[in-house]
Structure formats: structure tokens, C-alpha cells
Amino acid sequence: MLKTLDLPALRQLLCAIAAEFELRVPVQPAPGMRLLAPWPVAEIALFGPPLQPKPTAAFFPQTQTLLTLGADASVELPSPPVRPLALFGLARADLQGIAFLDRFFSAPPADDVYQRLRRDALLIGLSGNCGTERKFLPLAGGHCDFELIAQGTGWWGRAHTPRGAHWLRELPAAEGADLTWLNEKSAQLIDEPQQLLARAAKLLVQERVPEEFWREIAARCILCCGCNQVCPTCNCFCVEDQLRGTNVERRRVWDSCQLDAFMREASGHNPLGTEALRTRRRIFHKLVADPQRWGEYGCVACGRCDAACPTGIGIFALCEQLVARYS
Amino acid sequence: MTINATLTTCPYCGTGCNFYLLADNGQLTGVAPAADHPVSRGQLCVKGWNAHAFVDHPARLTQPLIRRGGEFQPAAWDDALDLVHSRLSRLAAQHGPDSLMFFSSAKVSNEENYLLMKLARAGYGTNNIDHCARLCHASTVTGLAETLGSGAMTNSLSCFDVTELILVIGSNTTEQHPLIGSRILQAVERGARLIVADGRRIRLAQHADLHLRGTNGSDVALLCGMARVILDEGLEDRAFIESRCENFDAFRTSLAAFDLQRVAALTGLGEEEIRAAARLYAGAERAMIVYAMGITQHSHGVDNVRAVSNLALLTGNLGRPGTGINPLRGQNNVQGACDMGALPNVYTGYQKVEDSLIRRKFSAAWGTRLPEIPGMMATHAIEAAAQGKIKGMLILGENPMLSEANQGLVKRALEKLEFLAVIDIFPTETAQLATLVLPAACYAERDGSYTSTERRVQRGRQAVAPPGEARTDWQILCALLQRCGLAADYADPAAIMDEIATLTPSYGGISYARLEGDSVQWPCPDAGHPGTPILHRAQCTRGKGRFSPLSYRPSVELPDASYPLLLNTGRSYFHWHTGSMTRRSHLLEREEHEVQLEIHPEDALALKINPRQMVQVRSRRGCISARALLTERVPRGQVFLPFHFAEGAANALTNNVLDPEAGIPEFKVCAVRVTPC
Ligand code: SF4
Ligand code: SF4
Ligand code: SF4
């Protein structure tokens, strides 16, 4: 059943959640920039561009301590959060990104550092008229405890888990609310990028994309790693040990498959020793390898890599060229 | 758990990207590019993306250290500051104030540069202050000030979006100013033409209409040869030359020596290539010249800059969108350090110390007498220290042991000093030689303003607390100013900027209140002024643009039988200068963790060097080991070394011969011998 909320009711709901969770909500520190900040905030950014940094960073930040080894051979793990996290304002693509990482980090051997932050966290989606200038964003339809669908001056609350239903239980029902049309609109929005990815993936599987294409794209890559840094499904990290006094602190740091040392062996040999091979791999991984392993693309069509790429070769720009040239 | 995001300016290159530093419980966890910023536009390069990584490195300096009996021992701040002041003032009293030298830094804020130059001049009575611009764009500051009246980039980064043609000469832009390099790539994508003049096959060369692989050090010949073709073929902008320039006839006469045959012989290029470049450049309605160290770091660096300037004047490519002479400044605040007068001959805004009216203005503001004679350049100060003429030095955030040419000489010079104080964030190779080391806050731990390559003044903001007892540079400098008996009770950097604005016409309208909104490009003479994206619009800063007659001078140390290869040095993409920050940033150091010598496969074959083999590289000044990287990126006869690595310091080899006017060393050309280990 759909519930209805206005702004005061939303604030009240978030206050109640904040009493039990470490709540983060979107704020807009500058035009064009929307990020998750700890509650309470002066003003919640209820619509706007995609969250930056990607919300998956709440569980898997760019730099994260894994453990500390003492001189006495003791092992200290980072302390779990006092209260579990609650993230509000997640778009459909953000939630899919979190679901992707959940599956990746819980596949054996499970990653307990990720789980420690992720376990018990409450995810709250935000959909409907909540994009830049209130542009319509597709309904989440799942992957969260509940979602709020922005429409008119308020929101419809839709629970996806019993926990979600619990938080929405006291809100009035949205009389006569009907999601049929919004679902259709969402399906259209979701379908278009999926079609493009599917066409590109097919060409890749059929090996119809020549080396030359990857060389051309790679020649434009300035190795900023931005495409990996912003991608909610990218999960590669490297490990750094630092000697701090008599302790060794082990951290992980987001890695990037565009870098030469990503696969370089100690001998200097590199199975992915050219930029063309690495660029091909990044796209191949997301569009061919991930579907084979997980049954879905490693791209949730969030649009971040296209915005972050300084030379205009994010995944959608690249796939458009690829499809135009080889299909 | 507290989480915050602090908007600040990237500490690496002069492009001026902004990002949010993300912190969790007072610890930096990452970076997010500023989406709405006119330069970053939601994008960064790999160094920007990793700019948080070194900040809490365990090697950070956390307390003042004084050398006692050969060992560094922790000291109290007051004792350390008293010692700095007593030693510097004693040396000044014994040997005269000009026995002191102050090195400022293009890594610290405008306010901090201002305070250090005030300390040198008003506190200790010497104009001996300089910073690493001496090693990078001294030639530009001298050359363009002479030809145009201002040594800064004439146009803005947004001009890349409207230009028709870009001539990149001596700038590996995608690696050294990556977010400017990406704009060039985007410009090419939308149809702009690109000429790259660089001996190395840099990434931009793959996208160029024309790649001129001339011999290092032959730029004057190439640029004068192009000018000659333009004039011979009547492609010059007559109206511009007549209405806006002077000294044209002398310039034209000087070109007699640059017939294409000679130019081709000097540069190693084909006559047709040179002709094609000249026609392409002159044929564009709007053409930008972009240059960097490949132009400036020569014993004829100022002549190179003059030659660049000539070409733009000749074709009227100045003062309009999409044109201009665009020296790309290296460090995030090298423009600002120059603007703030961390130079031996000028106060802020390039106001000359020799001008008695100007001197009187600063004297009155600071309440003290000021020295009249211009001071010593950093490169000369190293020589003077080696000769025992400079006795005491204060080095703020620089690492000359790795950054200056001829490391052997630098080491002798620093060791010979009676007193060396170093203020830094890490125990650098230079700090190891100091009498006393003061721990400083890094960019993420202090407020300040920085001026980017396009003269954009913007804020840096504190995101986390400095480690241990480390203090911000401006606090340290205020404490020293006070010990000199000068008023220095600024509440914060904003108050220092207010003082700068009252004394500096080009910064007159700049205040922190103003910088809270959009950044602003100087000149910005008053609070109501919108700033100046394009210089020299109706006329040049000096009035007429001045043509410079030139003659060709070869590089000083060219390959010969004993040292048969030409060594070119510079930066790599993943590291920054002396590596004190990037080599402590895991991802960057993982990517490139050792010094590699780029050598052409045919040269390697002749020398029996295998891929990845360790080699010795020897010049007349030193010898280092490096791993051989066989690549056609360098032309035959040339090898390339980055200068980031203490364990294989390129500057142990480089030649400290200087440009006579700008005092810049010839980092781009010396002769070496390479042998397998
Ligand atoms: S659009 Fe780009 S950043 Fe977003 S999920 Fe796809 S590949 Fe990753
Ligand atoms: S964002 Fe673009 S330029 Fe940067 S690494 Fe990715 S593909 Fe290359
Ligand atoms: S291009 Fe320069 S300013 Fe921008 S992120 Fe990279 S190093 Fe920093």
C-alpha cells in the first residue's frame, strides 16, 4: 500500500530514523553538487544531480582501514559503527549499485569490513520528480527498505521490506494513488540505456569490434581513473600497509583497471600492457564478464563516468560510437 | 561519526581544479570533484583524485626539530622560533642582510608567500627572496614582461572551447596539466587543428595535424623560421602589427638569418614541415600557443619566450577569445607566488623594488626601511652559498636537493651554510641537511588563496587539523615577523589578503568575501571589477606589443664523443616534483615506483641494453642508476628522465648553466653516457 507524506511529515520521519540510525541525507553545497551529509542538515536537497561521491562510498570508501597489527602480534579490527547507517535519497541506479556491491562483497570469501558497515543499514530510495530541476527519475522498485516517490508537492511512500513497512506504518494511505503510469514511464527510461548497452555487448561477444577501435579510444584516455572512481559497481582496490609507530595499519584504496600497474607483475610483464587492452577490458568486464558471472551488466546506467571523463569517453559515449560503427 | 566535505583547490598543478575533501572523524577518506567549478567541471586527473592520500602519512613532521650533536632532537616551538630569529639576525648583523637567502614556495598560499617576502624584506632587510618559479617560468616572467608588459598567461582555459588552432610547444599537456590537455583533446574532437612541437611522441602528438619532432633546444630557430615563412608568404596581420606593435623592422631584419635551409639544419626538421606549420598557424582566425618547460628551461629560455611572443604578435593572435600566448604554470600557486613578490626584484603585483615611489609605499605600510637593490635569484644563491657568500637560509616548502640543477653543487652549498632552517611537511632531502626543521600544515589543513595558471584566484580551505604540533605557514611566519618587531597580528589569512589588496593594484578588488562566491581572475583592481579573463585586449599591458629581434644560440652542453646522448628531464604523470607528496600516495607510488630512463630501442640495441635492465647514466656532474624503458616516445639520440626520485636523481646529472637574464637552468639539455649495469 502506498503512503503519503508532505515535507513536515518527511522531516518527522527522518528525525525518527535518526534516533536509531546514523542518518545521512542529500545536501547541495553548491549548484550542480549533491552529496550525502550527516543529519541534521539545514536543508535537504530533495532533487538535483546524482549524488557525488557515489553512495556506495558509505560502505566502501576510497580509503578504508582494514586492520591494525600491533608489535605484540595483536590484530585490531576497525570498530563497527555505534549505530547502523541509514542513507536517504538514493536513486534507482544508486540502489542497484549497492545491490551489486552487496553481492560482490558477500560472495565467498565474504568481506567483513564491508559487511560491518552494510549490515543493518537502512536504505531509502528517492524517485519520481527528484532529478535535476525535478526531472523524473525511474522508480526504484526494490533494492531498498522503502522508497519515496516525489510527485506534486509531496511523496508517496512505498515499502519494499518489512523494515521499510515498519517505518511507514503510521503514515496515512495515499488514497487513489496509482503507479501504473509511473511504472510505464520508468520502464521507458530504464529501457533506452539498457538497449544501447545490450547492442554494444552483443557486438563485443560477437568479436566485431576491432583492435583499432580500442586503440583510438585509448589514445584519448588521459588515465585520470575518474571512470572507475565514480562507478558504483567498480569494486577493485589495492592494499597499502603503513608503519605507524610500532603498529602496521593496513588500508585499502580504490584501484583503477585503466592503470598499468593494475595487472603488472613483479617481473614487469603485464598481461594488460597497453592502454588499448585496458580500455577494452574495462568495457568488456562490465558488459560481457559481469553478465556471465552475475547475470547482469556491471553498469547500472548511472551516467557518472560520462560526466567524470575529461575526454568524453565514458561508457555511454563509447558505446554509442561502438554501436554506430560496428552494427 | 562526523562526516564532512570541504571545497578546496588541488595542491598539484597550476590548472586550478577544485574538489571536495571528504573526511570521516577528522580523517580524510577521499576526494570528489567539484561539479559546477569552471575548471574541474566534475572531473580531475589521477593526482587530484588521490590528493588526500599523503595527508596523514606517518612520515609527516609533527614537532620542531633542532640538530644537536649531529642528531635532530624535538624542541619547543618558542625555542625553535627564537633560534631561527637569533641565528638569522646574528648573521645579518655580522655579514650584512644580503648574506641571508629566503626560499619561498609555489605550494603555499598567496598570503604565506606575501608574509615570507615581507619577512625577508622588512624583517631581515634583504631582497634575497625567490622560489621555484626560477626553475620553471622565470623565462616567461622576464620575456613576456618585456614584450607584453605582463608575464602571465594571456587567455583563459575557456578559450580552448572556441579556438580554431592550438600550437603546443614544449608542453606535455595531457600529463602535466591533464585537465588542460583534455580540453585540447576535446577541441580537436570538435574540429580544431593541433600542431605539436616536441621531440617526444607525447599523447597529444597522436592527435596532431602536425607533429614537429625537432632537436631539443632548437626552438628559437623553429619559431623564427615559422615567422620568416609567414612574412615571406604575406600571411602576417598587417593591421595588428601597425596599430598595436613596435620594433617590427628590427625584428624583420633579424629574420634574414633564419632562412628555411638553415632552420631545417638547426632543428633537424624538414623545410616542408616548418612551412606547413607556419601556414597552418597563420591561417587560423583564432590560434592559441600553449607552452611550458620545453620553452623555458634553457640557457636561452627568455629568447624562446620572445620567439613565441613574436609569432603571436605577427599574426595578431592576442587579446581575443581563443588566441593568446599561454604559458602553463606548473605548481598550483606558482602564479600566486610570483604575484606576491616572492621574487628578488619585485614586491606584490610586479611592483619594482628599485622604484623609489613603490618602495616608499611598502615602507610606509610596513613601518620600516626597505632595501633598494634587487636581491639574488635562487639559482645564483645556491652558487653564492657554495662560495660561502650566503651564510644563512630559510627554505619554506621547497626541496632544492632534488629540484635544482646539479645536485652535487646544491649539496655542497647547503652543507656550507652556517644556518639552514627548513619549514616543510615531510623530512625532505633538503630538511635532512638543516640546522632546524619546523613542521608545517599541508594544504588540507589550512585556509588560504591560490592563483592558478589562468590568473584565477581561488580559495583553499582547511578540512582537517594539522598533525601533532604542526602549524600553518602563515602562523609560523607571523611569529617570526613579530620577533623582528613587526606588527603581524592577523586574525586569519583573510586579514592578510586585505593587506595584500591595499598594496597590490592587480589584487585590489580581491577579498575572501568575494572569493566565497565565484573565483576571480586578476587584474581585478577594485571590488566592483569583474576580473579579467583575457589580457591585452585593446592594447598590451605595456602599451605596444614589442617585437624582439633574435639570434640563434645553441644549448650549452651538447652530446659529444664522451657523452653521446642528449638528456631531457621533466615530470612524469603520476608524480609531482620531488615526490614528497606523491611518493607517499599509495596508488601513485604503486603505479610508478622507480626511476626509468626512456631510451630509443635502436640506441638501446647499440648500447647492448635490454628492456628493463638497470643502466648507469653519467654526465660531467654525476652518475645515477635507472631502469631502461625502451620506447619510441623519445627520438634517437635523446634519453629522458623524470626528476622525482631521490634514489636516482635526474638533477645529479643536469647542467646548472643559467639563462643570463632569467637565471633558469638548462634542465632540458645536457650530455650523458648510458651504460648497462
Ligand atoms: S554509467 Fe558508468 S559509472 Fe555508472 S554504472 Fe555504468 S559504467 Fe559505472
Ligand atoms: S575517465 Fe576517461 S580519461 Fe579518465 S581513465 Fe576513464 S576513460 Fe580514461
Ligand atoms: S589537472 Fe592539475 S589541478 Fe586538476 S586535478 Fe590534476 S593536478 Fe590537480
Side-chain angles (χ1 to χ4, degrees), chain A residues 78-96:
Chain A
S79 38
V82 185
R83 292 180 302 168
L85 282 170
L87 305 184
F88 167 65
L90 307 175
R92 176 192 153 87
D94 299 336
L95 292 165
Q96 284 190 305

Side-chain angles (χ1 to χ4, degrees), chain A residues 62-63 244 251 255 264, chain B residues 36 49 52 56 590-591:
Chain A
Q62 192 176 353
T63 306
R244 296 186 167 267
R251 299 170 170 191
D255 208 331
R264 193 200 299 143
Chain B
D36 56 317
W49 273 110
H52 67 294
D56 78 338
R590 198 266 326 245
E591 190 62 16

Side-chain angles (χ1 to χ4, degrees), chain B residues 10-19 39-40 43-49 176-180 332 573 576:
Chain B
C10 179
Y12 290 114
C13 88
T15 301
C17 296
N18 273 22
F19 53 66
V39 178
S40 352
Q43 301 160 354
L44 296 171
C45 82
V46 75
K47 290 186 285 284
W49 273 110
Q176 302 316 332
H177 298 84
L179 283 219
I180 299 178
N332 68 332
Y573 173 47
W576 189 257

Side-chain angles (χ1 to χ4, degrees), chain B residues 148-360:
Chain B
L148 307 177
S150 165
M153 178 165 168
T154 63
N155 285 51
S156 289
L157 300 184
S158 57
C159 285
F160 287 105
D161 303 340
V162 296
T163 190
E164 273 182 17
L165 179 140
I166 306 161
L167 164 59
V168 179
I169 179 162
S171 156
N172 183 1
T173 326
T174 58
E175 294 199 5
Q176 302 316 332
H177 298 84
L179 283 219
I180 299 178
S182 65
R183 286 200 190 224
I184 297 177
L185 290 179
Q186 296 278 31
V188 171
E189 194 71 2
R190 85 172 151 72
R193 313 300 294 270
L194 175 65
I195 306 174
V196 172
D198 202 308
R200 292 168 84 211
R201 191 174 286 153
I202 56 175
R203 183 181 301 281
L204 280 181
Q206 300 176 48
H207 302 266
D209 295 278
L210 209 53
H211 179 201
L212 306 172
R213 295 189 89 179
T215 315
N216 267 29
S218 66
D219 308 272
V220 165
L222 169 65
L223 293 162
C224 288
M226 284 172 67
R228 169 84 183 258
V229 172
I230 289 170
L231 276 173
D232 284 353
E233 301 193 0
L235 304 173
E236 75 275 20
D237 184 338
R238 276 269 137 213
F240 187 88
I241 297 169
E242 272 158 31
S243 63
R244 300 231 4 215
C245 304
E246 63 184 29
N247 211 27
F248 176 67
D249 290 336
F251 166 63
R252 163 166 241 161
T253 313
S254 76
L255 290 180
F258 292 96
D259 60 90
L260 270 198
Q261 217 176 352
R262 177 169 181 244
V263 170
L266 290 172
T267 56
L269 295 166
E271 290 181 31
E272 268 320 303
E273 287 180 284
I274 302 164
R275 207 172 277 125
R279 287 175 185 158
L280 254 181
Y281 176 74
E285 181 55 30
R286 295 177 299 282
M288 296 174 82
I289 304 181
V290 169
Y291 75 84
M293 306 296 91
I295 282 292
T296 58
Q297 290 179 331
H298 291 278
S299 57
H300 48 265
V302 180
D303 278 355
N304 279 349
V305 172
R306 289 182 178 119
V308 166
S309 181
N310 285 340
L311 204 59
L313 292 177
L314 192 62
T315 50
N317 274 307
L318 196 69
R320 292 179 286 128
T323 68
I325 301 165
N326 301 284
L328 302 182
R329 308 303 302 259
Q331 300 268 11
N332 68 332
N333 201 35
V334 66
Q335 183 64 55
C338 291
D339 298 347
M340 291 303 112
L343 294 169
N345 58 336
V346 289
Y347 299 108
T348 58
Y350 309 93
Q351 303 173 84
K352 292 198 164 60
V353 297
E354 281 173 304
D355 183 329
S356 60
L357 273 180
I358 298 287
R359 213 164 48 240
R360 219 174 296 151

Side-chain angles (χ1 to χ4, degrees), chain B residues 105-153:
Chain B
S105 171
K107 274 275 160 283
V108 304
S109 67
N110 286 326
E111 294 75 14
E112 289 160 341
N113 271 292
Y114 172 79
L115 290 187
L116 184 60
M117 82 100 187
K118 181 171 176 180
L119 182 73
R121 294 184 157 124
Y124 295 105
T126 179
N127 282 318
N128 286 352
I129 171 152
D130 206 354
H131 71 285
C132 64
R134 186 63 51 208
L135 309 177
C136 70
H137 269 296
S139 318
T140 300
V141 176
T142 310
L144 292 188
E146 177 193 288
T147 64
L148 307 177
S150 165
M153 178 165 168

